[in-house]
C-alpha cells in the first residue's frame, strides 16, 4: 500500500507532503509516514523541514474512526514530541483548517505559516475530549492561558488574523502556499532563526481567581459536561507544572474523557450528523435542479425566518402575503431579526443590509412565476395549504420545487392538490427558523429523486442539518414529541409541579424542560393542532387538560407573559404561579386522579422512554432512515443534550433490556393505550442486539 505521506528534498528543504483525503486525518499510516519522514530528514542534507498537505485542508485532526479501537504506534503525542525534538528546523504550512491533532502537529513544529483564509482550532471538546497530543500544554505557551481556555473549551476555530495576533501563527503566506512556505523556510534558515520549541516558551501567569471563575462559568455554559472542566485542569497544569508533567496530566485526563459515555455520545453525533445527509437509495450522481430565486408564502413566525436563510446564502427571495398589512408585519420581523443579529455581533451592518436587500415582498402570485423553489408557510390547515398549492401549480414554472413547511399535515395530500406531485416536498424548519439548525426534509410518496437531492444540498448551502423523514403525522420530531409531551403533562396531573417536572429534565441535561418549551413555542400552537384533529386522534385527553385550560385563560406562554409559568417582562425569567398549581389540582380532581409524589427518576424515564419507544416505531415503519437520524433531529431541533447522544443512542447506552423493562412496567401501571412496547424494541431485546448493530445490519 502506498503511504499517504511522501518526503522529498527540494533543494535544501525537506518537504513532507500529506495526502489523505478527504481531510488529511492523522490515521496510523499518516502518523507513521510523518514519523519516518522526520527520521529521514535527520540524516539527509535538508536544512529545514516543511510539513504541508495536499487537498482541501491541512490535517483536520486525529482520525476519529480509530477512536475506541486499540491504539496503534506511533502515538500522536510521541509523534508531536519527535517533531519538536527534530534536529532540523520544522515549519508547518497551513491551508483550510488545522484542527485538533492537526494544530497540535503544527504547534510542535518550530514555526507556522498559513494562507489568509485558513483557520485553526482545537475542537476536541465537541467530541467530549480534550486536546491529547500536547495541545493543552503548548497552546497556553503560544497564546496565553485565557485565550487557550477560550479556544479549547469553546471548540470553535479562529481565523488566521486572530491566530497571528495571538502568536499561534508566525507568518501569513502570500500567493501559493507551497512556494511561499518554501521561501519562508529558506529565509528562516538564512536568518539562522533556530529551533524554537514551544515547550520551552514560558506561560504567562494569570491573575488569582481566573481559573476558578472559568470553572464556574463553564459549570453553567457547559452544564453536565466533563471535558471542559478537565481542560481547565490541564491549563492549570500548564501554568503550574513543568511541561513533561503537564503532558502526563493531559494524557491521563484525555484517556478519562475518551472512555466516558459523553465522548462516545458526541462521537456518535459527529458521524450521525454526516450520515443523516446521505439518503439511502439515492445515488450521489442524482442531478440537482438550479435554485437561485426562492418564493416564501406566508410572512408569519416561520415564513419570515425561512426567507432570511436563503437571503443569507445569497439567493433572491420573494415573500408573499395575503395583504399589505400582513406583508409589512412580516418584513418588519425580518428587519428586527437582522438588527438583532448586528447588535449581537453575529453579522456586520453591511452584510445584514446586503442580505436584507435580497428579500422583496409581494401580494401577487405572479411574482412567483419564475421562482425555482417556493416554500409555503401559511396557517396549519390542510384546505388552505391545498388551495395555495393549487394556485402554485397554475402559476409556477415547470420544474420549480414546491415545498411545504407544515408541521403535521399529510404532504401527499398537499401534493395531490397539484398536477405535479413529483415536484412537491416537505421542508420543515424549526422556530426560530433563521437560527435553528435542523431541517426535516419530508419525502412524500411521489417526490422525485432530483427534488430530494436538490433539497438536501440546499440545506447545506443554507447551513442547516437536514434529516429525511417519511410522511406521517408530525414526521419524526413532532410525532415523538407528542409522546414526550403527553408524559410530561400526565406527570403534572399525577403530582409533579411544573418546576419539578422541568427541573428534572433540565438537571438530566435538556436545554429546557418541556413545559417551558411549550410556553416558549406558544401554547396556542398545540391547542390549534389538537383542535384540527378529530377527537379520536387527539391522544390521551387527560394530558392536554391543563394546557387547554391555560389557552382558554389567554395564558399562551411567553408571548402573553404567562403560561405554565409567569414571565418577567424584562428578563423573561420564569417563576412558578400558584394560580397554575391550583388549576392543575382542580383538573386532577375533576379527572379523579389522586396526586402523589413523583421522583425525578420516574419523570426522566417516562419522558425519555416514551420518546425512545415511539422512535422505535418510526424506525420500524421506515419513517426515519436510521436511529442516528432521530438523534440528529432531537439534538438539533429539540434541545436534547448532544453529550447524551440523542434519545436512540441513549437507549443503547442504558441498555435496551432496561428500556423495555421500564416500558413494560409503565404499561402495567399506566395502561397499554400509552405504553405498548414497540415491536422493534422487543425484537432487539429478544435477539440481544443494540440499535447501533441493527442500524449497521439494516444499512447493508
Ligand atoms: N477523522 C476521520 N474522519 C473525518 C475527520 C476526522 N478527524 N474529520 C472529518 N472526517 C470525515 C467526515 O466523517 C466526512 O466523511 P464522509 O464524507 O464519509 O461523511 C468527511 O471527512 C468530510 O467531512 P465533512 O463532511 O465534515 O466536511 P466539511 O468540509 O464540511 O468539514 C472539517 C471539514 C471542518 C474538517 C470537519 O470535517 C471537521 O470539523 N472535522 C472534525 C475535526 C475534529 O474534530 N478534529 C479533532 C479530532 S480529535 C483529535 O484530534 C484528538 C487529538 O487532540 C489527540
Ligand atoms: P403564523 O400564523 O405566524 O404565520 C402564517 C402567515 O401566513 C400569516 O402571516 C398569514 O397572514 C399568512 N397566510 C395565511 N394564509 C395565507 C395565504 N393563503 N397566502 C399567503 N399567506 C397566508 O404561522 P407560523 O407559526 O409561521 O406557521 C406557519 C406554518 O409553519 C404552519 O404550517 C406551521 O405548522 C408551520 N411551523 C410552525 C412552527 C412554529 O414554531 N411556529 C415550527 C415549524 C413549522
Amino acid at each position: 500500500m502506498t503511504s499517504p505521506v511522501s518526503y522529498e528534498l527540494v533543494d535544501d528543504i525537506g518537504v513532507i507532503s500529506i495526502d489523505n483525503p478527504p481531510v488529511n486525518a492523522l490515521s496510523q499510516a499518516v502518523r507513521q509516514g510523518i514519523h519516518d519522514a522526520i527520521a529521514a530528514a535527520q540524516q539527509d542534507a535538508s536544512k529545514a523541514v516543511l510539513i504541508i498537505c495536499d487537498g482541501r485542508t491541512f490535517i483536520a485532526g486525529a482520525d476519529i474512526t480509530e477512536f475506541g479501537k486499540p491504539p496503534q504506534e506511533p502515538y500522536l503525542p510521541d509523534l508531536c514530541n519527535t517533531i519538536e525534538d527534530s534536529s532540523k528546523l520544522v515549519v508547518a504550512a497551513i491551508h483550510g483548517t488545522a484542527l485538533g491533532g492537526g494544530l497540535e502537529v503544527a504547534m510542535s513544529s518550530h514555526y507556522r505559516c498559513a494562507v489568509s483564509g485558513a483557520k485553526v482550532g482545537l475542537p476536541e471538546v465537541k467530541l467530549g475530549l480534550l486536546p491529547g497530543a500536547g495541545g493543552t500544554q503548548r497552546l497556553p505557551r503560544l497564546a496565553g492561558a485565557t485565550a487557550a481556555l477560550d479556544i479549547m473549551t469553546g471548540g470553535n476555530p479562529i481565523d488566521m488574523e486572530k491566530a497571528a495576533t495571538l502568536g499561534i501563527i508566525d507568518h501569513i503566506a502570500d500567493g501559493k502556499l507551497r512556494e511561499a512556505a518554501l521561501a519562508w523556510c529558506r529565509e528562516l534558515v538564512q536568518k539562522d532563526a533556530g529551533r524554537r520549541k514551544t515547550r520551552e516558551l514560558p506561560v504567562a501567569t494569570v491573575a488569582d481567581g481566573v481559573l476558578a471563575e472559568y470553572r464556574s462559568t463553564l459549570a453553567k455554559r457547559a452544564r453536565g459536561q466533563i471535558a471542559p472542566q478537565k481542560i481547565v485542569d490541564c491549563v492549570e497544569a500548564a501554568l503550574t507544572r513543568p511541561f513533561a508533567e503537564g503532558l502526563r496530566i493531559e494524557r491521563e485526563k484525555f484517556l478519562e474523557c475518551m472512555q466516558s459515555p459523553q465522548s462516545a455520545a458526541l462521537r456518535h453525533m459527529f458521524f450521525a450528523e454526516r450520515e443523516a445527509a446521505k439518503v439511502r437509495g439515492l445515488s450521489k450522481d442524482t442531478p440537482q435542479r438550479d435554485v437561485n430565486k426562492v418564493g416564501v408564502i406566508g410572512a408569519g413566525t416561520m415564513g419570515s425566518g425561512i426567507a432570511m436563510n436563503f437571503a443569507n446564502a445569497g439567493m433572491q427571495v420573494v415573500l408573499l402575503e395575503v395583504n399589505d398589512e400582513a406583508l409589512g408585519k412580516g418584513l418588519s420581523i425580518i428587519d428586527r431579526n437582522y438588527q438583532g443579529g448586528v447588535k449581537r455581533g453575529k453579522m456586520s451592518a453591511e452584510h445584514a443590509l446586503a442580505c436584507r436587500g435580497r428579500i422583496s415582498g409581494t401580494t401577487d402570485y405572479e411574482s412567483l412565476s419564475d421562482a425555482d423553489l417556493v416554500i409555503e408557510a401559511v396557517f396549519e390547515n390542510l384546505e388552505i395549504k391545498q388551495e395555495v398549492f393549487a394556485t402554485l401549480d397554475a402559476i409556477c414554472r415547470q420544474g420549480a420545487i414546491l415545498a411545504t413547511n407544515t408541521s403535521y399535515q399529510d404532504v401527499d395530500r398537499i401534493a395531490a392538490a397539484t398536477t405535479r406531485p413529483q415536484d412537491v416536498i416537505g421542508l420543515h424548519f424549526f422556530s426560530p427558523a433563521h437560527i435553528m439548525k435542523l431541517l426535516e426534509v419530508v419525502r412524500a410518496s411521489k417526490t422525485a429523486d432530483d427534488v430530494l437531492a436538490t433539497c438536501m444540498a440546499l440545506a447545506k448551502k443554507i447551513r442547516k442539518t437536514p434529516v429525511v423523514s417519511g410522511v406521517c403525522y408530525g414526521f419524526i420530531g413532532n410525532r415523538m414529541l407528542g409522546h414526550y409531551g403527553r408524559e410530561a403533562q400526565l406527570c403534572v396531573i399525577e403530582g409533579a409541579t411544573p418546576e419539578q417536572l422541568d427541573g428534572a429534565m433540565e438537571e438530566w441535561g435538556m436545554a429546557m424542560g418541556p413545559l417551558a418549551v411549550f410556553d416558549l413555542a406558544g401554547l396556542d400552537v398545540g391547542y390549534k393542532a389538537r383542535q384540527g384533529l378529530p377527537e379520536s386522534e387527539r391522544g390521551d385527553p387527560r394530558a392536554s387538560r391543563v394546557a387547554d385550560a391555560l389557552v382558554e385563560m389567554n395564558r399562551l406562554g411567553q408571548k402573553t407573559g404567562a403560561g405554565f409559568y409567569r414571565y418577567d417582562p424584562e428578563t423573561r425569567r420564569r417563576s412558578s404561579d400558584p394560580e397554575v398549581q391550583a388549576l392543575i389540582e382542580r383538573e386532577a380532581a375533576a379527572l379523579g386522579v389522586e396526586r402523589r409524589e413523583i421522583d425525578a427518576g420516574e419523570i426522566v424515564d417516562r419522558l425519555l422512554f416514551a420518546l425512545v419507544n415511539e422512535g422505535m416505531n418510526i424506525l420500524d415503519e421506515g419513517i426515519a432512515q436510521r436511529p442516528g437520524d432521530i438523534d440528529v433531529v432531537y439534538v438539533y431541533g429539540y434541545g436534547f443534550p448532544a453529550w447524551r447522544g440523542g434519545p436512540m443512542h441513549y437507549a443503547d447506552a442504558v441498555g435496551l433490556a432496561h428500556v423495555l423493562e421500564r416500558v413494560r412496567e409503565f404499561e402495567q401501571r399506566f395502561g397499554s393505550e400509552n405504553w405498548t412496547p414497540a415491536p422493534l424494541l422487543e425484537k432487539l431485546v429478544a435477539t440481544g442486539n443494540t440499535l447501533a448493530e441493527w442500524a449497521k445490519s439494516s444499512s447493508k
Side-chain angles (χ1 to χ4, degrees), residues 26-27 58 63 66 92 110 134 197 228 263 266 341 350 357 406 442 464 511 538 547 552 585 634 650 654 684:
L26 287 158
S27 63
F58 190 74
D63 186 336
E66 288 182 356
H110 305 125
K197 295 188 183 185
S263 178
L266 286 160
E350 297 75 46
T406 182
V442 185
K464 299 288 177 199
R538 285 187 200 164
E552 282 149 19
E585 282 164 21
Y634 264 78
Y650 176 68
V654 296
L684 291 176

Side-chain angles (χ1 to χ4, degrees), residues 22-23 25 56 60-65 67 76 97 99-101 104 123-124 127 129-133 254 270-271 274 278 460:
V23 296
R56 66 198 219 217
D63 186 336
I64 306 169
T65 60
F67 289 177
L76 189 56
T97 41
L99 299 177
E104 289 174 303
E124 285 86 345
L127 299 169
L129 298 172
L130 47 88
F254 177 80
F270 178 85
F271 290 114
R274 282 155 182 82
K278 293 165 192 155
K460 203 162 183 191

Side-chain angles (χ1 to χ4, degrees), residues 297-303 320-322 326 365 376-381 384-385 387-388 404-408 428-431 478 521 525 528:
I297 306 187
T301 311
M302 294 306 290
L320 183 139
E321 257 294 350
V322 278
Y365 268 92
E376 165 279 311
V378 305
F379 299 137
E380 183 68 4
N381 173 295
I384 301 180
K385 288 188 189 285
E387 230 171 79
V388 168
T404 172
N405 181 49
T406 182
S407 305
Y408 292 98
H428 184 216
F429 290 79
F430 287 71
S431 181
N478 283 344
V525 175
K528 278 189 211 141

Side-chain angles (χ1 to χ4, degrees), residues 611-663:
L611 273 184
V612 170
N613 199 47
E614 194 57 11
M616 292 279 181
N617 289 327
I618 281 175
L619 284 169
D620 225 1
E621 293 166 27
I623 296 292
Q625 302 188 92
R626 23 182 125 75
D629 285 20
I630 296 179
D631 292 331
V632 173
V633 166
Y634 264 78
V635 168
Y636 286 95
Y638 295 87
F640 201 97
W643 53 271
R644 295 276 194 185
M648 308 318 279
H649 175 88
Y650 176 68
D652 261 353
V654 296
L656 296 186
H658 171 68
V659 177
L660 180 59
E661 192 185 312
R662 288 293 266 168
V663 171

Side-chain angles (χ1 to χ4, degrees), residues 153-227:
T153 61
N156 297 318
I158 57 169
D159 61 34
M160 225 14 71
E161 288 64 34
K162 182 155 185 208
T165 312
L166 289 172
I168 302 169
I169 294 297
D170 305 297
H171 178 73
I172 298 199
D174 286 331
K176 280 200 125 182
L177 181 62
R178 191 180 156 96
E179 279 77 50
L182 278 170
W184 190 55
C185 281
R186 289 190 186 107
E187 202 181 307
L188 289 170
V189 170
Q190 259 165 22
K191 278 202 305 213
D192 208 6
R195 296 173 304 136
R196 189 193 52 188
K197 295 188 183 185
T198 307
R199 73 167 68 178
E200 288 169 359
L201 301 175
V203 193
T205 52
V206 293
D208 277 356
V210 165
L211 293 184
E213 203 181 309
Y214 219 93
R215 284 195 172 97
S216 85
T217 310
L218 282 175
K220 288 182 219 120
R221 200 182 83 203
R223 184 164 44 92
Q225 296 182 52
I226 58 170

